[in-house]
Amino acid sequence: QVQFVESGGGLVQPGGSLRLSCAASGTVVSVYAMGWYRQAPGKQRELVATITGRGSTNYAASVKDRFTISRNNAKNTMYLQMNSLKPEDTAVYYCNSAPAGVFSWGQGTQVTVSS
């Protein structure tokens, strides 16, 4: 059914930036509320940013004013622009519907923020 492929992660120094992409199979990004999630080792998966089918956005307090979620409906793709990265942002980042992930989880993309 619906599958997601996350990409764009990597190793970056504190204060750096990364842009993550989420390519979805089928037409889902434009009609579902979508979100970016992250999971750090030993921690639960948390929702960090959402965008509704109408385009409204919301962010977890920990990333507000640093991350920006966006989408390209024609490409069925979602993005997460991450600026001013902190070591606490280190995690595997996933995309799915929001505020609950009802589809199968992809492999995620690793973001490591370290000196």
Side-chain angles (χ1 to χ4, degrees):
Q1 183 70 340
V2 175
Q3 294 182 323
F4 302 106
V5 178
E6 300 93 345
S7 62
L11 175 63
V12 64
Q13 292 188 318
S17 298
L18 285 172
R19 182 176 173 84
L20 308 184
S21 297
C22 169
S25 65
T27 302
V28 56
V29 171
S30 63
V31 296
Y32 280 85
M34 299 292 297
W36 281 96
Y37 301 75
R38 68 185 182 187
Q39 186 168 31
K43 295 186 177 180
Q44 68 178 27
R45 183 163 48 218
E46 64 172 335
L47 180 63
V48 298
T50 62
I51 184 166
T52 71
R54 300 296 184 98
S56 299
T57 59
N58 193 43
Y59 301 91
S62 58
V63 308
K64 189 174 179 63
D65 301 323
R66 299 189 298 118
F67 292 9
T68 303
I69 188 172
S70 62
R71 68 185 181 206
N72 185 320
N73 291 340
K75 298 174 66 175
N76 208 29
T77 302
M78 189 172 60
Y79 307 94
L80 185 67
Q81 178 66 47
M82 306 185 295
N83 299 324
S84 301
L85 283 162
K86 305 175 179 180
E88 305 95 285
D89 298 318
T90 296
V92 178
Y93 284 71
Y94 303 87
C95 58
N96 211 314
S97 58
V102 302
F103 302 107
S104 298
W105 297 95
Q107 294 300 118
T109 185
Q110 175 72 51
V111 172
T112 303
V113 185
S114 175
S115 297

